Every structure is written in C-alpha cells, then in structure tokens.
Amino acid sequence: MARHASDLALLAFDDDFKGEVRLNELMSKHTTYRIGGAVRAFVEVFDLAALGRVLDICQREGLEWFPAGKGSNLLVSDAGFDGVVVVLAGEFRSWTFDEETNRVIVGAGTILSRLVQETFHRGYSGMEFAVGTPGTAGGAVRMNAGTKDDWIGKRVVSVTTYKAGQGLMRYLASDIDWQARKTSFAPDEMIVECELQLEPALSGNIEGRMRSLLDRRRETQPLDMPSCGSVFRNPDGHSAGALIEGAGLKGRVHGGAQISSKHANFIVNTGSATAADVVALIDLARSEVKKSYGIELTTELRFLGF
C-alpha cells in the first residue's frame, strides 16, 4: 500500500510532471455538496502526458481511479475512497472557436459556466440550456447534462477520450448512446476534449433566453445551499420532484441533510450533513415513492467510496 502512495507522491517532485498531487485529501473540499472523506490521492493534471502517467500508474498498481470534474453531481462516502481522484486542469481548460464551421473545440476540464458565457459573448447560440449549471464540459458530456427539452448531446460533433494502455480515442456523436443523464462511455476512459456545433445568433435573443432560464432556476431550485443538483432521474411521464413531494417528503430532515422545501428532487446540506444523512433521505424517497405510486426512482448522481 505504501508503495502505491509513494509512486504517486514522487510525481510531485518530478519536474517533468505537469500536475499537482495531494495525498489523503478530503473530498469535502472538492464537491458542491461539501461532503466526503479522504481519498488516497487527489491529482490535478495539466496536460495529456501528465494524465497518461497518472492513469498508467493506476493501471500498473491496480489502483482505482475516478474522474471528479468539479464534483457537482457527486456524493463521496464519509469513509472516503481508497483510490485516486483525477481532475483535469491546465491545457484541459482551454477552447478554440472555428468561425467558418461555427464549432468550438473544448477541453473537458473547462468550467461549464465559462463556456456558456464565452459562446454568448462571441454571438453563438446553443449553450443557453446550461446557464447556471455547475461542473465541467467533460462532466456535462459524460452525464449528457441538460433540461427535458435540450441537452448537450444535441450539440456534440465528436468526443475524444483517453484510456490507459490504449491512448486517445475519438468518437463521433453517432457512436455514442445518449440517454437522459447517461452515456455509453466506459468508466475507465477519461473524456479529454469535445467538439460542439453552435449557431450564430443575435446577442439580445441569446441573453433573453439565458436570463429566462436562470431566473427559472433561481425560482425553483435551492441554488443558495450546497447540493449535487437533481438526485433522481425523472421516470417516464413523471417528475421525480413531484412524486417525492406527493409522498409527503418535501422538507424532510435527516441529520444535517434535507429534502429541499423548494424542490423535492434536491437533497441539500443544511450545514452539517454527512453522506450517510443524504443516503438515508435517498432511501426514504425511494421507499415512499414506491409505496405511494409503485414507481422505482433511479439516482442520477454519482457515488464514490460506497
């Protein structure tokens, strides 16, 4: 076990390694929930060579690894994770616009809100649906983020991933299975870049749509409290939030966690929530909705260390 940690720790003292390694790092510092125990190593990589070295070490030493992005749809166990969390930074947070094709090539570590603003300022439409959505471009692609009417998979032209032992792989949009909050990417491949198709539009029209969507989010979602966003996928023909509210659970508290009184498909951290508190409310919501409606709720957040 010590040798595994040492292999990663040595990278921090290697001048050729473009990245940062933190051992025994608390994930509560890196999730929007502000919840989570320590991981064996938290590694930010700044270029493809650094990513390759980290994933090769993980493969060689049999270490589990996990792409965390900004931790916006992630619940980490209170006991932490005996593996490596990998975050893309540096050159993975850049973008290039092609005005001839109206496309943008985006590094997967790019903060989604920055990409939304950049496309707006350049006079492009297509990313309005993501206004106010936390996370990274890569995370948005992997989870096919969006609303019930629009989602990022509609914009994707191609996606490039990296897999230890195989290197880079490029997928066309048609190669990918796009589902609600789900895609067909393998767990052991890291999305490193995506190409998105945009459309020129009048800035005033874009701004109006963005303002309308953001106002609606502020009115209907508890954006002022730590959460992971929506907890459950909407079952066919139903709203998960409406089902949970109909089961009488809106505002229900367990420890420091609460089923939001603003939107029942959000479980918020009121200040001292543990992962166990959140899981207890997830289990309660599933049980009561099943009892009341005969519908099985499925989570859309990611779990780490459970």
Side-chain angles (χ1 to χ4, degrees), residues 6 23 29-31 36 44 47 74 94 102 117 128 136 150 164 230 232 237 248 253-254 266-267 272 277 294-295:
S6 178
L23 302 180
K29 300 177 181 178
H30 303 287
T31 65
E44 285 188 299
D47 62 16
L74 179 62
S94 62
N102 300 320
Q117 290 300 318
E128 295 91 315
T136 62
D150 203 0
S230 297
F232 298 101
V253 172
H254 188 287
F266 284 67
I267 296 176
S272 60
D277 292 335
I295 295 174

Side-chain angles (χ1 to χ4, degrees), residues 205-223:
N205 294 340
I206 302 171
E207 185 176 17
R209 287 196 294 272
M210 288 173 59
R211 184 182 297 113
S212 177
L213 286 167
L214 190 55
D215 287 346
R216 177 166 174 73
R217 287 186 192 275
R218 287 170 174 162
E219 290 170 5
T220 61
Q221 299 177 6
L223 302 182

Side-chain angles (χ1 to χ4, degrees), residues 132-196:
T133 302
T136 62
V141 169
R142 180 175 285 275
M143 296 297 291
N144 194 19
T147 67
K148 64 182 179 65
D149 301 313
D150 203 0
W151 50 89
I152 199 165
K154 287 184 174 183
R155 308 286 177 265
V156 169
V157 176
S158 67
V159 178
T160 302
T161 68
Y162 183 91
K163 196 171 184 178
Q166 296 185 29
L168 293 172
M169 293 178 287
R170 183 174 182 267
Y171 300 90
L172 297 178
S174 58
D175 299 326
I176 302 162
D177 182 16
W178 302 98
Q179 299 181 33
R181 302 296 191 271
K182 187 179 179 182
T183 56
S184 54
F185 295 106
D188 61 345
E189 61 182 327
M190 174 78 85
I191 295 174
V192 296
E193 186 178 88
C194 60
E195 183 181 11
L196 305 175

Side-chain angles (χ1 to χ4, degrees), residues 31-83:
T31 65
T32 55
Y33 246 142
R34 300 177 191 167
I35 292 171
V39 296
R40 181 189 289 265
F42 181 91
V43 184
E44 285 188 299
V45 293
F46 302 154
D47 62 16
L48 190 61
L51 174 63
R53 291 184 66 182
V54 171
L55 297 191
D56 285 347
I57 286 174
C58 290
Q59 183 182 58
R60 185 171 66 248
E61 303 293 352
L63 290 171
E64 288 188 73
W65 66 273
F66 186 87
K70 293 296 290 182
S72 59
N73 66 329
L74 179 62
L75 180 64
V76 181
S77 165
D78 300 314
F81 171 59
D82 189 26

